[in-house]
Amino acid sequence: MGKSLIIVESPAKAATIKKYLLGEYEVEASAGHIKDLPERSLGVDVENEFGTKFEVVKGKRKIVDKLRKAAATADCVYLAPDPDREGEAIAWHIAEEIRGVAPEIRRVLFHEITKDAVRKALEFPRDLDEKMYDSQLARRILDRLVGYQISPLLWRKVQGGLSAGRVQSVAVRLVVDREREIEAFQPREYWVLTADVDRTAPRASHPFNVSLRRIDGKKADVNNGDLARSLLATLKGAEWKVAKVERKERKRPSNPPFITSSLQQEASRLLRFSPSHTMAVAQRLYEGVDLGEEGRVGLITYMRTDSVRMSDEAVKGIRECIAERYGAAYVPAKAMIYKNKRSAQDAHEAIRPSSAWRSPADLKGFLDRDEFRLYGLVWARAMACQMSPALYDQTAVDVEAGSAEFRATGSVLRFDGYLAAWRDSKDLPKVEEKTDAAEGDDEFEGQGTLPADLVDGEPLRLRDLDGVQKFTEPPPRFNEATLVRELEEKGIGRPSTYATIVGTVQTKGYVKKVEGRLRPSELGRVVTDLLVRHFADIVDYDFTARMEESLDGVEEGRTGRLELLGTFWAAFDKTLKLAATEMRSVKSEALPAGIDCEKCGKPLLIRFGKNGAFLGCSGFPECRNTKEFDRDENGHVAPKDSESPGECPKCGSELQVRSGRFGKFVACTTYPKCDFTRPYTRVERCPVVGCEGHLAEKRSKKGKPFFGCDQYPKCKFLTSYEPVSEICPSCGAPTLFARSFRNARTLLCQREGCGFTRREAAAGKGERASDKAEAAGGAE
């Protein structure tokens, strides 16, 4: 008989495990899924108990044949894809392909890729988990039913190539709802009153700042200037004194160890990593990194988890490391135990280093910059979660001035506790003042050092009194990390899907990232509105969360797969048929923009082309005016105007378009007082497929004009032809280009592979309405 065979997902993991086992086992990799539902058909028979037609993934036949050949010569095959539902499905499909040739098939789970963990896992193999596979299969079928049934409907009603997804569409709705909440927000005026006060003679001078807290025993609500000015006048003549001094010791405990969502959020906040990049780097750390003489070693545990549990062995090792590295005072009397959320599956440990003794400093020469920084984050959090709390001496001083009460707080760090681990982890930003535990909590937010010996009733001298007008602000737009947090809090998706969801809603064009924040595209708004109206359950937050719980129930044996799918399909099929007849066709009707065409006075409409939404005149074809547009802070349509460059971000003055040696540029009107400049970008968009840039007018060193994409060097499009705001009727490119010769003018498309041209009589400079003849019609 031959050696036993281990099959894992990735070649990197295979190499690490093979080194650990010293040639005792053969190790092969499946390179992810080997089977999936067909690309061009539903692949699910809803009439016959939701039977599925899985196919070998395109390009994977050679891998499958290799695995079959290796399995045929092995005495036992250990299937070791990742330890989650997705991994169980991969193992199940591999088993289907090798069952005819493999003498024995077992399942093993590697929660961390270390020598001891791998050998221990091989000592306790199990059978394939049918309920776990059923849960993943149910999820896959649900996603296929939603995606493959709703998407064609959107193609007919809105625009070709669109997609809907059971979780994806809910994530888009979150972004759309947040944007509309921002647009509907009405700012409320309020005033912040602060005072600088000092001790009276013969006390030593020690001024400190206090803020208004209460008036007549009630929470202060100074909501207009008249009230603020009246209070200021009254307070200037009041008697100021210390009403109460409270001193106490405060403890600040560490946060729990990382789970997938919290790792993505902190990596975004501290390291500026996107969720997808975080998971890619974490995958490398989990699968193994070459540590020189030590060879390849998996540095962290499995990174797709919703559990804050750590093994007793890991906790013991961390506590011993803390004691040796920092001292006994940093080790709590009892190990810290953190509770999971009720919805947590708890299939895996929290994300932690495979060995606490490998500090970031020990690994710096073996990791690239991002690996080093992310490992440092994981190591510091795992160490911190088992360390003593930080201790602060906190003082709160209430100051009385007539009927008003002011407050000042201050805190001094007396014992750093778990913060020592953060400081010991190199290349991490200083986070001790901004840990999650303190966000939104002013308990540790001091206003400066307070006099140590203040006493109740002590008179104070008013040095300065000020009132500042402010306005309440709308909720912030999501960034990628806070969208992940929202998905987690609402029970939408699972750790293995968060990063994919956030990436997909952007690549599909439903959401765009602007200055690091997520905003819905016009397409995202329209599709969300249609889905909310006709598929309310599919995009309902609670329904989606309940479906996740039902999928958990399948894995736990509380719900049958066919029962879940049958209940879902019965309602969904009726909704689908109704929507097919009742859903409005945005493609044929377009949407009112709420503004009129400046050329003919007729209403402008929002239309959708291959490159997104644009404004087209309802008077088409007589009026062929088209424009790009944004939405203002209230959600109203705002046509883009290249001749109105806006306000200076540096000083707030007006900007103007100016000409220089190398072409036009935008500069502040107060120059030279303000030296702000930026390239002049026209309204016309770059024609390159997938590029979101606009065209900038430039001049060569010899003074010859040309136009280039403002995303250079990412996009290197250049042309000497004049851009024209007209959509190509052939390929949908957002811009055509004018070439004039003698008495003729030719419009041409410069998108690679298109070749569209249209010749017309020369009309001098200045665009005519007829120059956009194909734009509105071509977008249909």
Side-chain angles (χ1 to χ4, degrees), residues 151-356:
S151 296
L153 184 59
L154 295 178
W155 300 347
R156 296 196 302 271
K157 302 292 187 177
V158 184
Q159 178 182 310
L162 298 184
S163 70
R166 187 180 59 85
V167 179
Q168 163 197 316
S169 297
V170 179
V172 175
R173 183 183 179 183
L174 281 170
V175 178
V176 171
D177 286 354
R178 175 59 59 87
E179 190 69 19
R180 286 180 170 153
E181 189 178 353
I182 293 169
E183 291 168 354
F185 181 80
Q186 296 295 323
R188 186 178 67 83
E189 179 184 7
Y190 71 99
W191 287 70
V192 175
L193 274 59
T194 60
D196 284 331
V197 295
D198 198 357
R199 314 183 83 171
T200 60
R203 298 277 193 173
S205 178
H206 193 142
F208 57 97
N209 185 266
V210 293
S211 300
L212 179 64
R213 189 183 182 210
R214 295 179 180 276
I215 302 174
D216 293 327
K218 298 179 181 178
K219 183 179 178 180
D221 182 18
V222 185
N223 54 24
N224 62 75
D226 290 341
L227 177 57
R229 285 184 285 272
S230 175
L231 271 172
L232 290 172
T234 301
L235 291 169
K236 285 180 180 177
E239 178 185 348
W240 292 71
K241 64 179 180 179
V242 175
K244 182 182 180 182
V245 179
E246 184 177 10
R247 297 181 178 90
K248 61 178 66 176
E249 178 185 273
R250 293 283 189 174
K251 293 182 179 181
R252 178 192 281 181
S254 171
N255 289 304
F258 281 130
I259 59 176
T260 302
S261 58
S262 59
L263 177 63
Q264 291 174 3
Q265 291 158 36
E266 287 298 272
S268 172
R269 185 172 71 88
L270 298 174
L271 308 179
R272 300 294 183 262
F273 288 1
S274 68
S276 59
H277 184 60
T278 297
M279 296 307 288
V281 175
Q283 184 87 33
R284 299 199 297 270
L285 295 174
Y286 163 69
E287 291 180 348
V289 175
D290 191 343
L291 300 184
E293 293 182 1
E294 193 176 354
R296 294 185 65 88
V297 177
L299 297 178
I300 65 172
T301 53
Y302 191 55
M303 61 285 162
R304 295 183 179 93
T305 178
D306 57 6
S307 173
V308 294
R309 171 182 55 84
M310 293 199 299
S311 70
D312 293 342
E313 183 181 358
V315 171
K316 181 175 180 292
I318 290 173
R319 286 169 60 85
E320 289 174 353
C321 184
I322 293 169
E324 181 173 312
R325 192 178 190 99
Y326 303 104
Y330 289 83
V331 185
K334 294 183 179 180
M336 303 296 293
I337 298 175
Y338 298 93
K339 292 184 178 179
N340 283 319
K341 293 183 178 179
R342 188 175 61 86
S343 60
Q345 293 180 327
D346 198 29
H348 319 292
E349 286 188 67
I351 304 169
R352 59 166 175 83
S354 56
S355 171

Side-chain angles (χ1 to χ4, degrees), residues 46 196 276 397 574:
V46 296
D196 284 331
S276 59
V397 178
K574 293 178 182 178

Side-chain angles (χ1 to χ4, degrees), residues 60-215:
K60 289 290 188 73
R61 175 50 65 184
K62 288 185 178 180
I63 292 177
V64 172
D65 291 343
K66 184 179 181 181
L67 296 179
R68 283 177 58 85
K69 184 177 179 180
T73 61
D75 57 5
C76 181
V77 179
Y78 293 97
L79 301 178
D82 287 348
D84 56 13
R85 288 177 188 166
E86 209 69 22
E88 200 71 21
I90 294 173
W92 193 276
H93 291 151
I94 294 173
E96 289 178 340
E97 292 296 315
I98 67 172
R99 187 163 281 126
V101 298
E104 184 179 6
I105 299 173
R106 303 302 303 277
R107 176 80 161 109
V108 292
L109 305 178
F110 298 144
H111 295 283
E112 57 184 86
I113 311 301
T114 61
K115 184 183 296 185
D116 290 343
V118 169
R119 288 193 173 275
K120 187 173 182 180
L122 289 169
E123 293 176 5
F124 299 97
R126 63 165 172 79
D127 293 329
L128 288 168
D129 190 327
E130 185 173 4
K131 291 178 181 177
M132 195 174 188
Y133 173 65
D134 269 358
S135 176
Q136 194 279 339
L137 180 59
R139 177 188 294 277
R140 188 72 187 93
I141 292 173
L142 285 171
D143 291 343
R144 177 54 65 103
L145 291 176
V146 172
Y148 271 53
Q149 298 291 348
I150 297 181
S151 296
L153 184 59
L154 295 178
W155 300 347
R156 296 196 302 271
K157 302 292 187 177
V158 184
Q159 178 182 310
L162 298 184
S163 70
R166 187 180 59 85
V167 179
Q168 163 197 316
S169 297
V170 179
V172 175
R173 183 183 179 183
L174 281 170
V175 178
V176 171
D177 286 354
R178 175 59 59 87
E179 190 69 19
R180 286 180 170 153
E181 189 178 353
I182 293 169
E183 291 168 354
F185 181 80
Q186 296 295 323
R188 186 178 67 83
E189 179 184 7
Y190 71 99
W191 287 70
V192 175
L193 274 59
T194 60
D196 284 331
V197 295
D198 198 357
R199 314 183 83 171
T200 60
R203 298 277 193 173
S205 178
H206 193 142
F208 57 97
N209 185 266
V210 293
S211 300
L212 179 64
R213 189 183 182 210
R214 295 179 180 276
I215 302 174

